[in-house]
Amino acid sequence: MEYAKELMIILFSAILVNNFVLAKFLGICPFLGVSKKLDSAVGMSLAVTFVMLMATAVTYPIQVYLLDKNNLGYMQTVVFILVIAALVQLVEMVLRKFIPALHKSLGIYLPLITTNCAVLGVTVLNIREGYTFAESMINSLGGGLGFMLAMVLFAGVRSRIENSKISKSFQGLPITLIAASIVSMSFMGFGGLIEGLFK
């Protein structure tokens, strides 16, 4: 029961308190680039979540049973990037074959998952935090769901911005960045919530 509570704390902390986009500022490129339309935002989020889970499932054993045992910890970043790149290629091939509309709508942003620092960040942080395999998978799931929450929320904010009258000097990227900072600040309110819920 205590372990289940700990897993829930890890999950909800990754979604709300330690949100990779809004609290750690990782994965900003797809966050700003793909959040214009809700369907693209959800599709990108699902792809990122899948890659996060698969990357954790592959990189955790590599770190524990290969790199750590052979004193090759300094190769962590290179190995993890190679694993993530291979997984993104797999996702791209699957989407191209089975969901071509989503593949077309994601466009250039799908290969950018390879360089999405949120995916690399979750795999590295799982090791750095000393999580077990189960905790790492839960943290990765929470990271992916948090990424989706941020993308969906911001897609809604951007749709409201597009239908608003905005001063010419703020149109485009400036108002997008201002809106992103306000959404990010709103997540600071979740700080002490998680520990209070699972006491």
Side-chain angles (χ1 to χ4, degrees):
M1 187 69 177
E2 195 65 34
Y3 189 64
K5 189 190 290 186
E6 191 176 321
L7 291 178
M8 293 302 284
I9 289 172
I10 291 171
L11 177 68
F12 284 104
S13 292
I15 295 171
L16 299 172
V17 180
N18 300 319
N19 187 292
F20 280 93
V21 177
L22 300 174
K24 295 184 183 296
F25 305 108
L26 299 173
I28 297 293
C29 178
F31 174 69
L32 294 175
V34 189
S35 60
K36 288 181 182 177
K37 294 181 182 173
L38 183 62
D39 55 344
S40 297
V42 171
M44 179 67 158
S45 302
L46 290 172
V48 167
T49 303
F50 176 76
V51 171
M52 279 183 174
L53 286 167
M54 292 302 295
T56 297
V58 174
T59 57
Y60 188 89
I62 288 174
Q63 178 73 36
V64 172
Y65 299 112
L66 182 67
L67 299 180
D68 288 346
K69 289 205 170 178
N70 295 302
N71 294 321
L72 295 171
Y74 61 90
M75 294 292 291
Q76 181 189 62
T77 304
V78 175
V79 171
F80 284 15
I81 287 173
L82 290 173
V83 168
I84 292 165
L87 289 170
V88 169
Q89 289 302 311
L90 176 71
V91 169
E92 189 172 7
M93 287 188 294
V94 168
L95 286 180
R96 188 184 299 132
K97 177 131 178 109
F98 297 108
I99 316 173
L102 179 58
H103 181 267
K104 189 176 180 182
S105 71
L106 291 176
I108 188 66
Y109 294 102
L110 189 57
L112 283 177
I113 296 176
T114 305
T115 57
N116 185 343
C117 49
V119 178
L120 179 62
V122 76
T123 57
V124 171
L125 283 171
N126 287 336
I127 305 298
R128 194 167 291 160
E129 294 291 328
Y131 289 148
T132 64
F133 182 76
E135 291 169 344
S136 296
M137 292 301 289
I138 292 293
N139 188 49
S140 299
L141 177 62
L145 293 175
F147 187 85
M148 181 183 290
L149 177 65
M151 292 284 281
V152 168
L153 281 175
F154 201 57
V157 169
R158 287 185 81 169
S159 70
R160 292 295 298 263
I161 288 172
E162 286 179 12
N163 297 326
S164 302
K165 288 185 178 179
I166 296 166
S167 171
K168 192 169 185 179
S169 60
F170 283 101
Q171 288 177 3
L173 189 59
I175 194 65
T176 302
L177 293 175
I178 291 168
S181 66
I182 292 170
V183 171
S184 177
M185 284 192 303
S186 69
F187 269 66
M188 295 172 93
F190 293 115
L193 176 70
I194 304 302
E195 287 79 10
L197 281 176
F198 295 101
K199 276 185 180 177

Short mmCIF file of all heavy atoms in Angstrom, two decimals, residues 116-144:
data_model
loop_
_atom_site.label_atom_id
_atom_site.label_comp_id
_atom_site.label_asym_id
_atom_site.label_seq_id
_atom_site.Cartn_x
_atom_site.Cartn_y
_atom_site.Cartn_z
N ASN A 116 13.99 16.11 -28.86
CA ASN A 116 13.15 16.66 -27.79
C ASN A 116 13.82 16.36 -26.46
O ASN A 116 13.92 15.22 -26.02
CB ASN A 116 11.76 16.02 -27.86
CG ASN A 116 10.79 16.62 -26.87
OD1 ASN A 116 11.17 17.30 -25.91
ND2 ASN A 116 9.51 16.39 -27.09
N CYS A 117 14.27 17.42 -25.81
CA CYS A 117 15.03 17.23 -24.57
C CYS A 117 14.16 16.68 -23.45
O CYS A 117 14.70 16.16 -22.47
CB CYS A 117 15.71 18.53 -24.16
SG CYS A 117 14.62 19.95 -24.16
N ALA A 118 12.83 16.74 -23.57
CA ALA A 118 11.97 16.16 -22.54
C ALA A 118 12.12 14.63 -22.53
O ALA A 118 12.10 14.01 -21.46
CB ALA A 118 10.51 16.55 -22.78
N VAL A 119 12.27 14.03 -23.70
CA VAL A 119 12.42 12.56 -23.78
C VAL A 119 13.76 12.16 -23.18
O VAL A 119 13.83 11.24 -22.36
CB VAL A 119 12.29 12.07 -25.24
CG1 VAL A 119 12.49 10.57 -25.31
CG2 VAL A 119 10.93 12.46 -25.81
N LEU A 120 14.82 12.84 -23.58
CA LEU A 120 16.14 12.55 -23.01
C LEU A 120 16.15 12.89 -21.51
O LEU A 120 16.70 12.15 -20.70
CB LEU A 120 17.23 13.33 -23.73
CG LEU A 120 18.66 13.14 -23.22
CD1 LEU A 120 19.09 11.68 -23.37
CD2 LEU A 120 19.62 14.06 -23.96
N GLY A 121 15.49 14.00 -21.16
CA GLY A 121 15.46 14.43 -19.76
C GLY A 121 14.81 13.41 -18.85
O GLY A 121 15.32 13.14 -17.76
N VAL A 122 13.70 12.81 -19.29
CA VAL A 122 13.01 11.85 -18.42
C VAL A 122 13.87 10.60 -18.22
O VAL A 122 13.92 10.05 -17.12
CB VAL A 122 11.59 11.50 -18.96
CG1 VAL A 122 11.63 10.56 -20.14
CG2 VAL A 122 10.73 10.90 -17.87
N THR A 123 14.57 10.15 -19.26
CA THR A 123 15.39 8.95 -19.11
C THR A 123 16.58 9.21 -18.19
O THR A 123 16.93 8.37 -17.36
CB THR A 123 15.89 8.45 -20.48
OG1 THR A 123 16.61 9.49 -21.15
CG2 THR A 123 14.75 8.00 -21.35
N VAL A 124 17.19 10.38 -18.32
CA VAL A 124 18.34 10.72 -17.47
C VAL A 124 17.90 10.96 -16.03
O VAL A 124 18.54 10.50 -15.08
CB VAL A 124 19.10 11.94 -18.04
CG1 VAL A 124 20.15 12.45 -17.07
CG2 VAL A 124 19.73 11.60 -19.37
N LEU A 125 16.78 11.67 -15.85
CA LEU A 125 16.29 11.96 -14.49
C LEU A 125 15.87 10.70 -13.75
O LEU A 125 16.01 10.62 -12.53
CB LEU A 125 15.14 12.96 -14.53
CG LEU A 125 15.56 14.41 -14.78
CD1 LEU A 125 14.34 15.29 -15.03
CD2 LEU A 125 16.35 14.95 -13.61
N ASN A 126 15.33 9.71 -14.47
CA ASN A 126 14.97 8.45 -13.83
C ASN A 126 16.19 7.81 -13.18
O ASN A 126 16.11 7.29 -12.06
CB ASN A 126 14.37 7.48 -14.85
CG ASN A 126 12.97 7.88 -15.26
OD1 ASN A 126 12.27 8.56 -14.54
ND2 ASN A 126 12.57 7.47 -16.44
N ILE A 127 17.32 7.85 -13.87
CA ILE A 127 18.56 7.29 -13.32
C ILE A 127 19.08 8.16 -12.19
O ILE A 127 19.45 7.68 -11.12
CB ILE A 127 19.64 7.15 -14.44
CG1 ILE A 127 19.12 6.33 -15.62
CG2 ILE A 127 20.93 6.59 -13.88
CD1 ILE A 127 18.75 4.91 -15.31
N ARG A 128 19.07 9.47 -12.42
CA ARG A 128 19.63 10.40 -11.43
C ARG A 128 18.85 10.39 -10.12
O ARG A 128 19.41 10.55 -9.05
CB ARG A 128 19.65 11.82 -12.03
CG ARG A 128 20.50 12.78 -11.25
CD ARG A 128 20.77 14.05 -11.99
NE ARG A 128 21.64 13.78 -13.13
CZ ARG A 128 21.74 14.60 -14.17
NH1 ARG A 128 21.02 15.70 -14.23
NH2 ARG A 128 22.55 14.30 -15.17
N GLU A 129 17.52 10.21 -10.21
CA GLU A 129 16.68 10.19 -9.00
C GLU A 129 16.76 8.84 -8.27
O GLU A 129 16.22 8.69 -7.19
CB GLU A 129 15.22 10.48 -9.36
CG GLU A 129 14.96 11.88 -9.88
CD GLU A 129 15.12 12.93 -8.81
OE1 GLU A 129 14.83 12.65 -7.63
OE2 GLU A 129 15.54 14.05 -9.16
N GLY A 130 17.42 7.85 -8.89
CA GLY A 130 17.56 6.54 -8.26
C GLY A 130 16.28 5.73 -8.26
O GLY A 130 16.06 4.88 -7.39
N TYR A 131 15.41 5.97 -9.23
CA TYR A 131 14.15 5.23 -9.32
C TYR A 131 14.40 3.77 -9.70
O TYR A 131 15.34 3.47 -10.43
CB TYR A 131 13.22 5.86 -10.35
CG TYR A 131 12.62 7.19 -9.97
CD1 TYR A 131 12.34 8.15 -10.94
CD2 TYR A 131 12.32 7.50 -8.64
CE1 TYR A 131 11.77 9.37 -10.59
CE2 TYR A 131 11.77 8.71 -8.30
CZ TYR A 131 11.49 9.65 -9.28
OH TYR A 131 10.94 10.85 -8.94
N THR A 132 13.51 2.90 -9.22
CA THR A 132 13.51 1.52 -9.70
C THR A 132 12.91 1.51 -11.10
O THR A 132 12.44 2.53 -11.59
CB THR A 132 12.66 0.63 -8.77
OG1 THR A 132 11.29 1.08 -8.83
CG2 THR A 132 13.16 0.68 -7.33
N PHE A 133 12.87 0.32 -11.73
CA PHE A 133 12.31 0.24 -13.08
C PHE A 133 10.84 0.65 -13.08
O PHE A 133 10.41 1.42 -13.94
CB PHE A 133 12.46 -1.18 -13.64
CG PHE A 133 11.94 -1.32 -15.04
CD1 PHE A 133 12.67 -0.83 -16.11
CD2 PHE A 133 10.72 -1.93 -15.29
CE1 PHE A 133 12.19 -0.95 -17.41
CE2 PHE A 133 10.23 -2.05 -16.58
CZ PHE A 133 10.98 -1.56 -17.64
N ALA A 134 10.06 0.16 -12.11
CA ALA A 134 8.63 0.49 -12.04
C ALA A 134 8.44 1.99 -11.82
O ALA A 134 7.60 2.63 -12.46
CB ALA A 134 7.95 -0.30 -10.93
N GLU A 135 9.22 2.55 -10.91
CA GLU A 135 9.13 4.00 -10.64
C GLU A 135 9.52 4.82 -11.87
O GLU A 135 8.90 5.84 -12.16
CB GLU A 135 10.01 4.37 -9.44
CG GLU A 135 9.51 3.83 -8.12
CD GLU A 135 10.52 3.98 -6.99
OE1 GLU A 135 11.71 4.23 -7.27
OE2 GLU A 135 10.10 3.83 -5.83
N SER A 136 10.52 4.33 -12.60
CA SER A 136 10.95 5.01 -13.82
C SER A 136 9.84 5.01 -14.87
O SER A 136 9.60 6.02 -15.53
CB SER A 136 12.20 4.34 -14.40
OG SER A 136 13.28 4.46 -13.52
N MET A 137 9.17 3.87 -15.01
CA MET A 137 8.07 3.79 -15.99
C MET A 137 6.91 4.70 -15.59
O MET A 137 6.32 5.37 -16.44
CB MET A 137 7.60 2.34 -16.12
CG MET A 137 8.61 1.41 -16.78
SD MET A 137 9.10 1.89 -18.44
CE MET A 137 7.61 1.54 -19.37
N ILE A 138 6.61 4.74 -14.29
CA ILE A 138 5.53 5.62 -13.81
C ILE A 138 5.91 7.08 -14.02
O ILE A 138 5.08 7.90 -14.45
CB ILE A 138 5.23 5.34 -12.32
CG1 ILE A 138 4.60 3.95 -12.15
CG2 ILE A 138 4.34 6.41 -11.71
CD1 ILE A 138 3.21 3.81 -12.75
N ASN A 139 7.16 7.43 -13.74
CA ASN A 139 7.62 8.81 -13.94
C ASN A 139 7.56 9.18 -15.42
O ASN A 139 7.18 10.31 -15.77
CB ASN A 139 9.04 8.98 -13.40
CG ASN A 139 9.48 10.42 -13.41
OD1 ASN A 139 8.78 11.31 -12.95
ND2 ASN A 139 10.67 10.67 -13.94
N SER A 140 7.91 8.24 -16.30
CA SER A 140 7.85 8.49 -17.74
C SER A 140 6.41 8.66 -18.21
O SER A 140 6.12 9.53 -19.03
CB SER A 140 8.52 7.36 -18.51
OG SER A 140 9.87 7.27 -18.15
N LEU A 141 5.52 7.82 -17.68
CA LEU A 141 4.10 7.96 -18.01
C LEU A 141 3.58 9.32 -17.55
O LEU A 141 2.90 10.03 -18.30
CB LEU A 141 3.28 6.84 -17.36
CG LEU A 141 1.77 6.90 -17.56
CD1 LEU A 141 1.39 6.79 -19.03
CD2 LEU A 141 1.07 5.82 -16.75
N GLY A 142 3.93 9.70 -16.32
CA GLY A 142 3.53 11.02 -15.82
C GLY A 142 4.12 12.15 -16.64
O GLY A 142 3.44 13.15 -16.91
N GLY A 143 5.38 11.98 -17.07
CA GLY A 143 6.01 13.00 -17.91
C GLY A 143 5.28 13.16 -19.23
O GLY A 143 5.04 14.27 -19.70
N GLY A 144 4.88 12.02 -19.84
CA GLY A 144 4.14 12.07 -21.09
C GLY A 144 2.76 12.66 -20.92
O GLY A 144 2.30 13.48 -21.73
#
